[in-house]
Amino acid sequence: EFISVFDNDELEFFLCGETYIDIEDWKHNTSYKNGLDENSVVIKWFWKVLKEEMTEDERRKFLQFCTGTSRVPVEGFGALQSNNGKVCKFCIEPKEYKKQNTAFITAHTCFNR
């Protein structure tokens, strides 16, 4: 009886989360480590590519790669959780590339561990 008050789209939304990716919400709920911040050139490039050069479908695939899910929680990016149930912000940090002593951004596909 409880679920009968929802139509198919509403039920999918509550069970699976939001399909639209709000880049501003994502930016607001992202942390940075090891010298990066929202004013770092590489971070500005990152958000510019996500916002201006990726399609919505490509953003979902990227989110899937980084977090294990292609959908945003109903409450937004501020409610991303790890597999232990703790709220866990999306985090960007550079990794040293040993051969050239250069930093690269990497993704942990086990975000939900």
Side-chain angles (χ1 to χ4, degrees), residues 1-7 10:
E1 281 184 44
F2 174 72
I3 63 171
S4 65
V5 299
F6 301 108
D7 66 26
E10 292 170 329

Short mmCIF file of all heavy atoms in Angstrom, two decimals, residues 1-7 10:
data_model
loop_
_atom_site.label_atom_id
_atom_site.label_comp_id
_atom_site.label_asym_id
_atom_site.label_seq_id
_atom_site.Cartn_x
_atom_site.Cartn_y
_atom_site.Cartn_z
N GLU A 1 0.81 -1.20 0.00
CA GLU A 1 0.00 0.00 0.00
C GLU A 1 0.85 1.26 0.00
O GLU A 1 0.51 2.23 -0.66
CB GLU A 1 -0.91 0.03 1.23
CG GLU A 1 -2.13 -0.84 1.10
CD GLU A 1 -3.03 -0.70 2.30
OE1 GLU A 1 -3.26 0.44 2.74
OE2 GLU A 1 -3.47 -1.74 2.79
N PHE A 2 1.94 1.24 0.76
CA PHE A 2 2.78 2.43 0.87
C PHE A 2 3.29 2.91 -0.48
O PHE A 2 3.24 4.09 -0.78
CB PHE A 2 3.95 2.17 1.81
CG PHE A 2 4.95 3.28 1.87
CD1 PHE A 2 4.65 4.46 2.51
CD2 PHE A 2 6.18 3.17 1.25
CE1 PHE A 2 5.56 5.52 2.56
CE2 PHE A 2 7.10 4.21 1.28
CZ PHE A 2 6.78 5.38 1.94
N ILE A 3 3.77 2.00 -1.31
CA ILE A 3 4.35 2.43 -2.58
C ILE A 3 3.29 2.75 -3.63
O ILE A 3 3.60 3.34 -4.66
CB ILE A 3 5.36 1.40 -3.13
CG1 ILE A 3 4.71 0.07 -3.44
CG2 ILE A 3 6.53 1.26 -2.20
CD1 ILE A 3 5.63 -0.88 -4.18
N SER A 4 2.06 2.40 -3.39
CA SER A 4 1.01 2.67 -4.38
C SER A 4 0.74 4.16 -4.56
O SER A 4 0.12 4.56 -5.54
CB SER A 4 -0.28 1.93 -4.02
OG SER A 4 -0.81 2.42 -2.80
N VAL A 5 1.21 5.00 -3.64
CA VAL A 5 0.99 6.45 -3.78
C VAL A 5 1.99 7.08 -4.75
O VAL A 5 1.82 8.22 -5.14
CB VAL A 5 1.07 7.18 -2.42
CG1 VAL A 5 -0.01 6.68 -1.47
CG2 VAL A 5 2.44 7.03 -1.79
N PHE A 6 3.01 6.33 -5.17
CA PHE A 6 4.02 6.83 -6.08
C PHE A 6 3.79 6.30 -7.49
O PHE A 6 3.41 5.14 -7.66
CB PHE A 6 5.42 6.42 -5.63
CG PHE A 6 5.79 6.90 -4.26
CD1 PHE A 6 5.88 6.02 -3.21
CD2 PHE A 6 6.05 8.24 -4.03
CE1 PHE A 6 6.22 6.47 -1.94
CE2 PHE A 6 6.41 8.70 -2.78
CZ PHE A 6 6.49 7.81 -1.73
N ASP A 7 4.07 7.14 -8.50
CA ASP A 7 4.06 6.60 -9.86
C ASP A 7 5.44 6.00 -10.13
O ASP A 7 6.34 6.05 -9.28
CB ASP A 7 3.69 7.68 -10.89
CG ASP A 7 4.71 8.81 -11.01
OD1 ASP A 7 5.90 8.60 -10.71
OD2 ASP A 7 4.31 9.92 -11.43
N GLU A 10 8.50 8.45 -9.76
CA GLU A 10 8.75 8.84 -8.37
C GLU A 10 9.40 7.71 -7.58
O GLU A 10 10.34 7.93 -6.82
CB GLU A 10 7.45 9.27 -7.69
CG GLU A 10 6.87 10.55 -8.23
CD GLU A 10 5.46 10.82 -7.71
OE1 GLU A 10 4.71 9.87 -7.45
OE2 GLU A 10 5.13 12.01 -7.58
#
